[in-house]
Amino acid sequence: MKPTLFVLAAGMGSRYGGLKQLDSLGPNGETIMDYSIYDAVKSGFGKIVFVIRKDFEQDFREKIISKYEGHVPVEVVFQSTDALPEGFTCPADRTKPWGTNHAVLMGKGVINEPFAVINADDFYGRDAFEVIAKELSRPRDRKGDYCMVGFRVGNTMSENGSVARGVCNTENGLLTTVTERTDIAYDDNHDITFHDEKGEVCKLDPKTPVSMNLWGFTPDYFEYSDREFVNFLKKDIDTPKAEFFIPIVIDTLINSGEATVKVLDTDSKWFGVTYAGDRPGVVAKFAELHKDGTYPEKLF
């Protein structure tokens, strides 16, 4: 059974300004998503599912989905603040989405096979899709047998400001914790640093694995997510900025022993448009990748 690619495309892109998901960055108007989907299909994924907001469905279908017709099956699901379990009502002042793992839950009705989760506005590279497609395609004999691609932090930096990364700790190749660091940046010596909880500057080895939200799950993940979302809402439904993130669920399942997460290494170089200043560099990189034959003149 071929795995499914689940694309999280409901975000606003506040730091960049506008909907990054629809921004044309390739030499023929390609979006970052187009490259991810091209690489995923080449790597063995058999279906694409997008989670978007209902208010830009028409734009999305016209500019994005129309390209893939005849190349790969596509489905669309919607994330909204009022998509809550029975017994819960969205607070009137809630405007912020419920977070990445809430977005994942929106795929429950259409995904019945192993699946990878990606951000719409991140470029992951062919190798990353190949390693996770291979891992998701192997037989499994238990629930909670998951994986993630651990990018080397040195391959994920921006020259235009600090970045947030989930720094991974591992034991015997399995994830033990993901610690969110929000101010990873180059210092004057071009070393990679962040500030710890005490405000002290800490260095990161460029090969340190970080999460770029490229996760691999089986459908039983939806059951765990349903349960944990209820627990989250009981505690935080009235906290306007609280979000139900994937690492929250992962951390709970690892600590309870209900799941293991294999950390897959990749030499892929991540890039994305975190800041408007990143855009020219990304455009240049895509032009180069077409010129050197990594991508054909026309993807789809």
Side-chain angles (χ1 to χ4, degrees):
M1 184 181 291
K2 288 186 174 184
T4 284
L5 184 68
F6 193 10
V7 185
L8 307 186
M12 285 292 289
S14 56
R15 280 184 294 183
Y16 177 51
L19 292 170
K20 288 188 284 185
Q21 294 86 350
L22 302 184
D23 195 3
S24 299
L25 298 167
N28 301 298
E30 297 89 350
T31 67
I32 287 182
M33 274 189 294
D34 292 333
Y35 292 98
S36 292
I37 288 161
Y38 179 86
D39 284 339
V41 171
K42 289 288 184 184
S43 301
F45 284 82
K47 182 173 75 175
I48 313 297
V49 177
F50 293 100
V51 57
I52 65 172
R53 293 197 325 273
K54 187 72 177 174
D55 60 314
F56 69 93
E57 179 186 8
Q58 185 175 345
D59 234 10
F60 197 86
R61 288 189 182 278
E62 289 174 0
K63 293 183 180 180
I64 302 294
I65 294 177
S66 60
K67 302 177 191 178
Y68 311 134
E69 289 173 353
H71 295 282
V72 61
V74 174
E75 297 203 48
V76 177
V77 295
F78 303 101
Q79 183 181 21
S80 63
T81 53
D82 58 2
L84 299 178
E86 192 174 339
F88 292 94
T89 303
C90 183
D93 60 348
R94 178 83 189 193
T95 56
K96 196 173 185 65
W98 291 108
T100 52
N101 211 92
H102 178 252
V104 169
L105 268 172
M106 300 304 100
K108 183 170 61 171
V110 299
I111 298 176
N112 302 297
E113 53 283 316
F115 63 101
V117 175
I118 67 167
N119 293 333
D121 48 9
D122 288 316
F123 176 82
Y124 293 99
R126 179 78 55 81
D127 184 69
F129 287 105
E130 288 177 348
V131 298
I132 200 166
K134 182 179 178 183
E135 175 64 18
L136 289 174
S137 298
R138 68 169 174 80
R140 282 167 167 72
D141 57 7
R142 63 178 174 86
K143 293 169 64 174
D145 187 354
Y146 307 142
C147 61
M148 63 160 282
V149 175
F151 281 76
R152 302 166 193 174
V153 67
N155 286 340
T156 75
M157 299 296 290
S158 169
E159 297 286 350
N160 295 298
S162 64
V163 295
R165 299 286 180 257
V167 178
C168 301
N169 293 311
T170 63
E171 192 174 310
N172 300 321
L174 298 178
L175 186 68
T176 55
T177 59
V178 179
T179 305
E180 190 68 19
R181 301 294 184 188
T182 56
D183 63 343
I184 299 174
Y186 290 119
D187 66 9
D188 293 341
N189 299 317
H190 218 251
D191 289 325
I192 300 170
T193 65
F194 68 91
H195 291 84
D196 67 12
E197 291 79 1
K198 297 175 183 176
E200 295 177 3
V201 176
C202 303
K203 282 187 183 181
L204 277 176
D205 185 297
K207 292 184 179 178
T208 302
V210 295
S211 169
M212 300 304 300
N213 224 32
L214 177 43
W215 300 92
F217 299 122
T218 46
D220 55 79
Y221 187 71
F222 294 123
E223 300 169 35
Y224 293 128
S225 296
D226 274 330
R227 181 190 74 193
E228 294 307 315
F229 191 40
V230 169
N231 292 337
F232 167 85
L233 291 171
K234 285 177 179 176
K235 180 172 171 282
D236 284 319
I237 192 168
D238 292 317
T239 306
K241 293 188 176 180
E243 292 185 71
F244 183 53
F245 294 120
I246 293 169
I248 291 173
V249 180
I250 292 298
D251 189 55
T252 299
L253 297 179
I254 289 173
N255 288 328
S256 68
E258 292 171 286
T260 57
V261 180
K262 184 186 289 188
V263 178
L264 309 172
D265 182 43
T266 181
D267 60 9
S268 281
K269 287 182 170 60
W270 170 95
F271 56 85
V273 184
T274 304
Y275 301 93
D278 293 330
R279 191 181 190 280
V282 170
V283 170
K285 284 175 183 172
F286 281 135
E288 186 182 321
L289 289 168
H290 281 269
K291 189 176 180 180
D292 71 13
T294 302
Y295 294 106
E297 182 180 349
K298 187 173 173 60
L299 296 181
F300 295 99

